[in-house]
Amino acid sequence: NLAKFGYVQDEVFISGKIAGGLPYTTRLLVRRPVDPKKFSGVVVAESIRSSGVRILWTEARYLMARGHAFVEIGSNLSVNTLVKPSNPTRYAGLNVPNPTPGKLVFGHVQDIAAQAGLLLKSNLPHGPFKDMPVRHLVLGGCSEQGMFVRLYMRDSHAKFRMPNGKSIYDGYFPACVADWPPILGHEDGTPLANFTQPAVEVPTIMLATSEPEGFPQDGRRYRRPDSDAPGDKFRLYEVAAMPHGLDFRAFAALFPKTLQCNGKAEQRSDFIGAYPANNALDKLIRWVTKGTPPPRGARLEVASASGPLVKDQFGNPKGGVRTTQLDVPVAAYHLCDTGKVSVINPVGIDFGAAYMVPFTPERLKALYPTPKAYVDKVGARLNQLVKQGWYLPEDAAEVRAAAVEFAKKL
């Protein structure tokens, strides 16, 4: 309900030509504050997914609380296969051309994303934000769109520029992505090879969730050092035990409470990915708008470059970006180890199947003799993580309240 938050959605049709002179007409979905005075000047853009799902919009609670705008760019062939058929009359003129049939990665057309970004940044009198000057533009995405952001950075960041020579996008947020099985995407007709992200001069935070555990087969090529150099502003956040996705709390009721792992019913993970996702996006936007470098995150501990994650005494991952759910644990968090190697699961681990094994009452009693002991431990660790820059204040308040509620069960 956008109106409840003082937001409105506009639909904007744009036309142009991509490489080779192929014409296109597509749409932008613009979600922005109704009141221009409440607009932060920040736009977070995402290319429409091949399935039409807007995963980055699951960050809506964070975005709208701060007056940021969201734009879905129709730069995918799904405009033809999903959007156009949804209303043949309204969308009769839409067409996204395929410059290389059978060779596009996930069907995304980088030229259109670049031209749409240029339009948004140009602040034209009759543009999508005609009464609201866009000062900063971020290109983000999760999972498939996270890989698209990585590919855009590699292939189009230096190619497409503003008239003054500066970057069209002021920051990048490739999320829920690291290395992938080559079978998931093709490039120029061949399986998409994993690669190390080249340097760009604008801030970038790559947020890896379950992928480092699920896809280590190529030696985790996505890993590279963090940097604050003028031509290389980069952070990698590997969040320990975070399931694939961002803030899925609004959709929790749609997911079954259990999932099957090796024929056994397991309890679906209750890990709250919203908190590290909110924090990472907020840190990126502060880096973009204020020049504030974000904290550097520890890497997940691994047995070897292509080996499994190192686990602690409870079976939870060691290292990485930490949360209270891992540092004051009440459960062990896992991905389903199918034991079956395939093109989609190169080491036999289902990166999309995150489950948990709650601690027994006996273990909980040994760790937290009293309810107060548990609440105090959560509070103490949370204070450290907030001070280090790993939780937003409003999310930390939710964690404290949840700890009090959980303690009532002890």
Side-chain angles (χ1 to χ4, degrees), residues 178-236:
D179 282 1
W180 280 50
I183 194 66
L184 283 184
H186 285 72
E187 183 176 35
D188 295 330
T190 60
L192 173 63
N194 284 306
F195 61 95
T196 304
Q197 204 66 46
V200 297
E201 79 280 11
V202 299
T204 300
I205 292 182
M206 183 187 299
L207 181 72
T209 55
S210 60
E211 308 80 33
E213 184 172 4
F215 306 128
Q217 73 282 353
D218 293 331
R220 297 181 171 94
R221 294 180 185 172
Y222 69 92
R223 281 184 160 182
R224 49 147 300 180
D226 291 341
S227 174
D228 292 312
D232 184 16
K233 300 176 181 179
F234 181 83
R235 292 289 188 276
L236 171 61

Side-chain angles (χ1 to χ4, degrees), residues 8 10 12 30 32-41 43 67 69 119-120 122-135:
V8 67
D10 299 324
V12 179
V30 179
R32 58 173 179 80
V34 175
D35 184 352
K37 295 179 180 178
K38 294 184 178 180
F39 177 45
S40 69
V43 173
L119 171 66
L120 294 170
S122 295
N123 288 312
L124 300 178
H126 301 290
F129 290 88
K130 53 182 177 295
D131 298 322
M132 303 179 178
V134 175
R135 295 191 294 272

